[in-house]
Amino acid sequence: MDHETSRRRVVAALFAGGATGMAGCGGEATSGTEPSPTASPRSSDPSPTDTVMDEDTDTPSPANPPDSVGLETLATGLEAPVDIAFAPDADRRYVVDQPGFVYVHESGGLRDEPFLDLGDSVEGGSEKGLLGIALHPEFAENRRLFVRYSAPSREGTPDSYSHTFVLSEFTATDDGSGVTADSERVVLEIPEPQRNHNAGSLAFGPDGYLYVGVGDGGGAGDRGTGHADDWYDGVDGGNGQDVTENLLGSILRMDVDGEASDGKGYAVPEDNPLVGREGLDEHYAWGLRNPWRFSFDGDDLFVGDVGQDHYEEVNLVEAGGNYGWNVKEGTHCFEADSCPDATPGDVRGGEPLVDPIVEYPHSGDGVSGVSVIGGHIYRGSAMPGLQGRYVFGDLGAGGRLFVASRPDDGGQWSTEVIPVTDDDAEKLDRILSFGRDAAGEVYMLGIGENGGGLHRVVPAE
């Protein structure tokens, strides 16, 4: 496809580090590869896990996960595809390319002209760029959509900071095939002190509110320029444990349909956990480092949070939850021999530091990697062995998917590697994002032998 090829090649060069800059960091620049930030499609209520009959007892038991899966390639030629949204009223997908473009994918492939062109508004490099998209729950009627991108520093961003986080609303054309930039309405801006840990996921929850992932501000260890002092003395910083000074290191929850107040581009839901308490009202959950990709499955919110040097994690996030960063990396004390499992009593009543449902190391056999890429609960029909299981991956794909299964005791989920068939493994050297369509089938976005592409996870041949 020819998307103003020469122009995009120049832009892509600016973003070359973004798709490989997401791993744990030992300084402001990352030492490995952290992802550049899928907006999750609104999911229906969870359906029961598919079962097979146990031949000895004639009682239902969960179907086994497949030994391997394949990838059906739907589109190539992108630079760094980092998100996808599914039109509710047409066979159409909106694919986000990090340099600042959203493309329409239909049965005939990718349209040549971008659905949304923000190439002149987006600041690139490192993990910056156009990072997330979410369609309004009534998109078929109102054509409203929301995107998250990095912009050059705007008014209110200190001179010493890197750039400005922007969340904006746009309106699509009646046929859903295009957007004009002059329809932009800025919903939220956040000063970003460093160039990395930008998160970027957006998703509407089943409550109709918009959830927004915000990284801890970047650098390493949640400390340095732009990182607040918190209650924990074991490690300096940081924004993950502070809910009063800024909106960094958190999941935000906002009402984009309510009447805005105080000069904001949104209303705050009255039942947000810090409304009427100390802290900024937009916070829904905190203690996060770089919540790169998240998704809903019914009421459950699954958040992949990229770790630093040793561990990656997936959290099942609830209102008011504190997920530990920078006291902990996963379940382990961060830069300390011992650490608390809760805040002090005078810090929001001594709230617990909630452990992840999935944790894996940066080295070793089996499930390991450098930067978690949050996925989706599989609700499709093509692969019964995945039904009800969480399908996700790592930036360093290595021909692998990961599958996590919910335990009966409410503890950590069991996790295993599902290989991608040899014929398809090279399609994704790096996984950048996942998506799920209305039928519950799972899609992967990333970079492989044919550049950036969109692929559907299918049964192995």
Side-chain angles (χ1 to χ4, degrees):
M1 75 183 186
D2 182 9
H3 305 297
E4 303 176 89
T5 303
S6 61
R7 175 176 180 238
R8 289 186 58 215
R9 293 299 180 198
V10 173
V11 174
L14 299 176
F15 285 79
T20 59
M22 305 195 81
C25 31
E28 179 182 342
T30 53
S31 63
T33 35
E34 276 192 48
S36 306
T38 208
S40 152
R42 289 187 83 222
S43 57
S44 58
D45 290 336
S47 58
T49 300
D50 277 10
T51 58
V52 296
M53 298 302 294
D54 186 297
E55 294 181 357
D56 296 326
T57 63
D58 290 331
T59 58
S61 61
N64 291 323
D67 293 332
S68 61
V69 296
L71 297 177
E72 178 188 1
T73 299
L74 303 177
T76 58
L78 297 157
E79 301 296 344
V82 295
D83 209 349
I84 185 170
F86 297 83
D89 58 338
D91 180 18
R92 179 183 299 131
R93 290 145 291 280
Y94 300 103
V95 182
V96 174
D97 210 3
Q98 187 183 355
F101 307 92
V102 180
Y103 291 102
V104 172
H105 179 267
E106 296 171 313
S107 58
L110 286 173
R111 290 193 178 189
D112 288 338
E113 291 300 317
F115 169 75
L116 175 62
D117 183 347
L118 291 176
D120 293 334
S121 301
V122 166
E123 178 167 307
S126 185
E127 296 168 29
K128 296 177 290 184
L130 181 56
L131 304 177
I133 187 171
L135 307 183
H136 189 277
E138 298 177 2
F139 177 78
E141 291 77 34
N142 62 28
R143 293 306 190 205
R144 296 169 65 194
L145 64 138
F146 297 81
V147 299
R148 153 81 175 91
Y149 64 92
S150 309
S153 293
R154 296 184 174 181
E155 183 179 355
T157 296
D159 291 342
S160 60
Y161 278 29
S162 168
H163 64 283
T164 301
F165 163 123
V166 179
L167 170 66
S168 284
E169 176 182 352
F170 290 85
T171 303
T173 56
D174 289 344
D175 65 359
S177 65
V179 169
T180 56
D182 60 8
S183 70
E184 181 174 13
R185 180 182 74 88
V186 175
V187 177
L188 174 67
E189 295 179 349
I190 301 175
E192 288 280 3
Q194 311 289 348
R195 61 187 182 177
N196 56 346
H197 300 187
N198 293 320
S201 261
L202 305 175
F204 280 92
D207 52 14
Y209 295 132
L210 181 62
Y211 291 71
V212 181
V214 187
D216 69 4
D222 199 1
R223 53 195 167 208
T225 300
H227 294 265
D229 292 330
D230 65 13
W231 58 268
Y232 180 56
D233 294 331
V235 178
D236 291 339
N239 293 326
Q241 290 300 314
D242 177 82
V243 296
T244 63
E245 298 300 315
N246 55 57
L247 297 174
L248 300 171
S250 62
I251 303 294
L252 311 181
R253 180 177 182 247
M254 54 186 62
D255 181 357
V256 294
D257 296 322
E259 184 176 352
S261 60
D262 300 326
K264 297 176 179 179
Y266 55 90
V268 174
E270 294 182 356
D271 60 346
N272 272 10
L274 296 181
V275 171
R277 302 172 58 196
E278 182 180 11
L280 300 176
D281 291 346
E282 291 88 343
H283 285 294
Y284 179 77
W286 44 91
L288 296 162
R289 181 178 179 273
N290 189 12
W292 170 247
R293 301 288 84 178
F294 62 68
S295 64
F296 277 96
D297 182 65
D299 292 330
D300 289 340
L301 174 56
F302 295 87
V303 177
D305 193 21
V306 178
Q308 183 148 312
D309 292 325
H310 301 293
Y311 297 97
E312 301 300 308
E313 65 183 86
V314 177
N315 295 286
L316 184 54
V317 167
E318 297 182 351
N322 182 338
Y323 295 89
W325 177 253
N326 68 357
V327 181
K328 293 183 174 183
E329 184 182 11
T331 62
H332 305 265
C333 296
F334 177 69
E335 294 189 355
D337 293 331
S338 62
C339 60
D341 290 321
T343 65
D346 61 352
V347 178
R348 297 180 296 278
E351 65 195 13
L353 305 183
V354 183
D355 284 341
I357 59 168
V358 170
E359 175 188 84
Y360 65 88
H362 281 199
S363 61
D365 297 331
V367 178
S368 64
V370 292
S371 292
V372 65
I373 307 297
H376 292 261
I377 296 288
Y378 181 81
R379 297 293 180 192
S381 59
M383 292 167 286
L386 293 181
Q387 183 63 229
R389 292 182 164 94
Y390 183 67
V391 179
F392 68 112
D394 191 89
L395 179 69
R400 304 169 301 159
L401 281 180
F402 300 153
V403 174
S405 301
R406 189 188 300 262
D408 294 331
D409 61 5
Q412 281 209 339
W413 293 33
S414 61
T415 310
E416 58 190 294
V417 174
I418 304 294
V420 176
T421 56
D422 291 342
D423 291 343
D424 291 336
E426 293 184 356
K427 292 179 178 180
L428 277 178
D429 297 324
R430 286 171 285 171
I431 300 173
L432 300 180
S433 192
F434 287 84
R436 187 178 75 175
D437 65 19
E441 300 298 337
V442 170
Y443 297 68
M444 298 170 62
L445 301 98
I447 301 173
E449 60 182 354
N450 294 316
L454 167 65
H455 314 270
R456 182 162 44 215
V457 181
V458 296
E461 293 184 355

